[in-house]
Amino acid sequence: MSAPTQFDAIADPNRRHLLEELRRSPRTVNELADGLPISRPAVSQHLKTLLDCNLVSVTAEGTRRIYAINKDGFKPLTLWLDQFW
């Protein structure tokens, strides 16, 4: 099985929701899980997919992991979309 692409990552509505939340401000897994009807482990799995596709980044602050949007990861999506304008 091949690695997921940015397009695969944004195909899932839960991952799109996570990206929309992270667009507003960096957040922890627990903060992100509060807004979704899925478990915290499921949120972590979705964040791993987004990390693997370079759409988000993570930094450690003590025991907390803070997730944020990685704008550079959106370049392949932008380049693909721009060809239609």
Side-chain angles (χ1 to χ4, degrees):
M1 185 172 183
S2 64
T5 67
Q6 285 90 351
F7 291 99
D8 297 323
I10 65 170
D12 184 276
N14 290 313
R15 288 192 286 266
R16 287 195 307 270
H17 177 80
L18 292 172
L19 289 170
E20 290 168 9
E21 290 300 312
L22 291 172
R23 182 179 56 121
R24 291 177 180 87
S25 67
R27 307 240 171 110
T28 65
V29 174
N30 288 334
E31 291 169 334
L32 291 165
D34 286 342
L36 286 169
I38 58 176
S39 68
R40 187 201 168 285
V43 171
S44 292
Q45 289 177 339
H46 285 300
L47 287 168
K48 176 155 179 12
T49 299
L50 294 171
L51 274 167
D52 291 347
C53 293
N54 206 29
L55 294 175
V56 299
S57 62
V58 63
T59 56
E61 287 184 7
T63 59
R64 297 173 4 138
R65 293 172 52 94
I66 310 297
Y67 291 85
I69 291 291
N70 178 16
K71 292 181 182 180
D72 288 340
F74 285 86
K75 286 182 181 175
L77 296 169
T78 303
L79 290 171
W80 186 82
L81 288 170
D82 281 349
Q83 69 184 328
F84 294 100
W85 305 123

